[in-house]
């Protein structure tokens, strides 16, 4: 009887330890070495670094980058819901890097979804053009410093796209 109680406690301890470790770990790609983006994120704490801060979500690698390899991009309605979720947030001192990075990510997720939509990118000319204008202003620099510098344009782009989408409810319902 004593042996089975000890064995049961050991199994429970191993299970709980594994669960605790898996909750703290970042998902890994099988067989992949640490990515350059994780190295850049760890280097972001260096003074003068232009890499995104650890509080910011990872920057998009392009259309559909947030999706798993080989999976289709998000639907427009789902990507728009993610963008709308940023409407009640703001750039607080403790969360500004995260907020601006998230708005940037949500805009690019929506951009990828619109370009992959069966209606075609021609169905979403204004939002796609607004995101292209934002990207031209950012010049490829997604660092917190640059996003903060262009905060008015970033938030304005989000708000203009939100207004445009509200006028096209058939695209997100």
């Amino acid at each position: 009887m004593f042996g089975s109680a000890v064995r049961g406690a050991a199994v429970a301890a191993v299970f709980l330890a594994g669960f605790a470790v898996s909750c703290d770990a970042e998902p890994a790609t099988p067989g992949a070495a640490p990515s350059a983006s994780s190295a850049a994120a760890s280097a972001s704490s260096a003074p003068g670094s232009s890499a995104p801060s650890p509080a910011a979500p990872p920057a998009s690698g392009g259309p559909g980058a947030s999706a798993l390899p080989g999976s289709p991009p998000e639907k427009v309605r789902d990507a728009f819901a993610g963008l709308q979720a940023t409407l009640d947030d703001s750039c607080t001192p403790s969360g500004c890097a995260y907020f601006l990075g998230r708005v940037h990510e949500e805009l690019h997720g929506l951009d990828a979804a619109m370009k992959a939509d069966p209606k075609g990118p021609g169905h979403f000319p204004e939002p796609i053009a607004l995101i292209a204008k934002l990207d031209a202003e950012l010049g490829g620099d997604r660092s917190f410093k640059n996003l903060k510098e262009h905060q008015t344009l970033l938030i304005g782009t989000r708000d203009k796209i939100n207004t445009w989408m509200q006028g096209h409810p058939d695209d997100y319902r």
Side-chain angles (χ1 to χ4, degrees):
M1 187 66 146
F2 177 73
S4 66
V6 170
R7 187 176 19 244
V11 168
V14 169
F15 172 78
L16 290 175
F19 180 77
V21 169
S22 70
C23 289
D24 289 338
E26 291 184 17
T29 305
S35 68
S37 64
S38 64
S42 63
S44 68
S45 60
S49 172
S50 65
S53 74
S60 171
S66 61
L68 294 174
S71 65
E74 242 179 330
K75 291 184 178 184
V76 171
R77 72 165 187 257
D78 297 335
F80 181 53
L83 184 66
Q84 283 187 305
T86 69
L87 292 173
D88 292 331
D89 291 338
S90 62
C91 196
T92 62
S94 64
C96 194
Y98 172 79
F99 170 69
L100 295 178
R102 179 166 178 214
V103 170
H104 183 268
E105 264 315 288
E106 296 295 347
L107 284 169
H108 286 84
L110 182 60
D111 186 55
M114 288 176 169
K115 288 176 179 174
D117 190 83
K119 295 175 186 173
H123 185 74
F124 305 98
E126 291 177 48
I128 291 173
L130 287 167
I131 294 168
K133 179 182 175 190
L134 171 68
D135 286 346
E137 287 291 321
L138 292 175
D141 183 357
R142 298 173 294 199
S143 68
F144 169 63
K145 180 181 176 189
N146 198 41
L147 292 178
K148 182 70 174 157
E149 202 172 289
H150 293 90
Q151 179 176 347
T152 302
L153 178 62
L154 181 66
I155 302 305
T157 300
R158 176 201 65 184
D159 294 345
K160 287 176 186 173
I161 291 174
N162 181 57
T163 300
W164 189 90
M165 290 294 290
Q166 294 295 334
H168 298 80
D170 55 310
D171 291 323
Y172 65 88
R173 290 196 178 148

